Amino acid sequence: MSRTNHQLRLAQRPVGQPKPTDWDHVEEPVGDPGDGEFLVQVLHLSIDPAMRGWMNAGRSYIPPVEIGAVMRAAAVGRVVASRNPGFAVGDHVSGTFGVQEYCLSNGRGVTTVDPALAALPVHLGTLGLTGLTAYFGLLDIGRPQPGQTVVVSGAAGAVGSVVGQIAKILGCRVVGIAGGERKCRVLVDDFGFDAAIDYQSEDVRSALRRHAPDGVDVYFDNVGGDILDAVLTRLARGARIVICGAVSQYNNTEPVKGPSNYMSLLVNRASMTGMVVFDYADRYAEGIAQLAEWLAAGRLRSLEHVVSGGVAAFPETLLGLFRGENLGKLVLTVVDE
Ligand code: NAP
């Protein structure tokens, strides 16, 4: 069967906020799978803040997307042709398929997903990399103990909403930091956080004094910048800070400014540790099994913010992350089955 692929390829490296012209729309025929390959029709794309970093040249935890290459994206899709015995036509699969409608794969880094376990977008969020980031970052680096105070920023997003809920399952007091009254209400009413701070209308430092009177034992940082600096002033002795991301800094045109309150680490015998979810690849199955169990038991709620419009809507959808338009995991649907 002849099929046409629509793709977004990186045209140039953005300066500051990405623009639609930073990508080229390319249309090309879809090739047939070779021996050991299979063809995936992409159904849903994961939209991640990290995509902004992948567009920059330079050393990071993963190589940059090359100019002319298909924009990197995690996705879920369905196998529509196969010459690989491990993947059958009709299987639902998850992998780094890119911002395109079809992807030829040899199976490396691809896993099958069970749509009966949860809707496909959930496999990009709570049962995908963002859920695993929350799980391993909090448990392995944050190491919260029952009764301790856990603060998480970007709290209404994909990673943050799962971090806060896991901390509640573990018996912690949980304070979320998010933008806007609606998100803060959802954190408390729907996700069961003990308190929420709207960083757009409240002074984070004084709000923390109210909501974390004994100090912050674990801070899970998704945003960096001024919010990290504010939390540093409220650490409890022996606090652990998980540096998961710094979304407030990703579109900077100036070099990132480090936290000025870092001496609080010394005073409080605290630590600040970076984490990258890929380092836990050999434990993903363990993380997904636990997250799936909590989901099935109703102890964990998964929220997806699903946008339609396919590959052409990618640039505008990505910018929505930096405007805080998403509540929960942002997913762009290419084909709704
Ligand atoms: P997300 O939180 O679902 O979406 C991004 C959110 O960031 C927005 O909804 C917005 O929420 C907030 N934001 C945007 N600009 C901001 C600013 N200037 N200041 C404060 N908040 C801002 O995204 P996610 O996928 O869950 O990712 C969260 C963080 O985890 C990111 O930093 C990402 O890079 C990181 N991450 C790290 C790993 C790892 O392995 N280390 C893996 C996955 C993700 P508000 O409306 O609340 O502002």
Side-chain angles (χ1 to χ4, degrees):
M1 186 202 290
S2 83
R3 298 178 167 99
T4 303
N5 198 6
H6 293 95
Q7 314 172 311
L8 285 193
R9 290 178 176 266
L10 188 62
Q12 59 190 0
R13 304 218 177 271
V15 178
Q17 290 244 107
K19 308 180 292 303
T21 49
D22 293 333
W23 294 275
D24 285 327
H25 292 240
V26 175
E27 185 179 305
E28 61 176 37
V30 177
D32 292 322
D35 208 20
E37 289 185 330
F38 55 96
L39 181 66
V40 177
Q41 180 175 26
V42 173
L43 303 176
H44 301 280
L45 291 166
S46 174
I47 307 297
D48 294 280
M51 289 170 148
R52 176 63 189 84
W54 301 339
M55 298 170 77
N56 293 337
R59 186 175 165 271
S60 185
Y61 60 92
I62 190 170
V65 178
E66 296 300 335
I67 302 291
V70 174
M71 180 63 199
R72 182 184 294 140
V76 288
R78 192 166 43 83
V79 177
V80 292
S82 181
R83 293 184 58 196
N84 181 314
F87 296 90
V89 170
D91 281 354
H92 287 93
V93 286
S94 174
T96 309
F97 301 134
V99 183
Q100 56 182 343
E101 293 172 348
Y102 291 95
C103 178
L104 274 175
S105 171
N106 59 13
R108 205 175 310 130
V110 176
T111 52
T112 49
V113 298
D114 180 2
L117 194 59
L120 289 174
V122 180
H123 293 274
L124 293 174
T126 304
L127 296 181
L129 281 181
T130 53
L132 291 166
T133 302
Y135 180 83
F136 289 113
L138 183 66
L139 270 72
D140 203 52
I141 307 216
R143 302 184 308 280
Q145 301 301 312
Q148 290 193 329
T149 298
V150 174
V151 173
V152 55
S153 56
V159 174
S161 60
V162 177
V163 167
Q165 292 183 83
I166 296 176
K168 282 307 298 176
I169 291 171
L170 299 176
C172 298
R173 172 173 174 76
V174 177
V175 180
I177 304 175
E181 193 262 331
R182 175 171 169 248
K183 286 189 178 182
C184 287
R185 196 160 12 93
V186 168
L187 291 181
V188 174
D189 293 350
D190 298 351
F191 290 134
F193 286 35
D194 296 284
I197 299 170
D198 174 4
Y199 74 91
Q200 290 168 351
S201 69
E202 291 180 77
D203 177 63
V204 174
R205 215 165 143 164
S206 49
L208 280 173
R209 209 169 294 133
R210 274 199 319 281
H211 295 307
D214 299 328
V216 176
D217 298 291
V218 177
Y219 174 48
F220 195 106
D221 188 24
N222 287 314
V223 306
D226 292 341
I227 293 177
L228 170 59
D229 242 342
V231 181
L232 275 165
T233 65
R234 298 295 309 157
L235 297 184
R237 187 164 171 158
R240 285 84 61 201
I241 298 181
V242 185
I243 300 293
C244 174
V247 67
S248 74
Q249 307 295 306
Y250 292 170
N251 290 312
N252 275 3
T253 48
E254 305 283 317
V256 172
K257 196 164 75 53
S260 49
N261 296 327
Y262 80 98
M263 284 299 282
S264 171
L265 298 173
L266 181 155
V267 172
N268 294 297
R269 288 76 157 174
S271 63
M272 188 151 97
T273 308
M275 75 84 60
V276 173
V277 66
F278 302 144
D279 296 345
Y280 296 89
D282 59 354
R283 292 178 59 196
Y284 284 174
E286 165 204 328
I288 287 176
Q290 179 62 82
L291 291 161
E293 188 188 311
W294 283 331
L295 265 184
R299 301 186 73 191
L300 186 60
R301 291 187 63 171
S302 182
L303 195 58
E304 295 76 42
H305 189 116
V306 181
V307 171
S308 57
V311 162
F314 170 76
E316 198 47 34
T317 308
L318 177 64
L319 285 182
L321 271 183
F322 300 107
R323 293 191 291 256
E325 287 170 3
N326 61 306
L327 220 173
K329 170 70 199 161
L330 184 58
V331 171
L332 174 59
T333 294
V334 178
V335 176
D336 207 358
E337 277 196 321

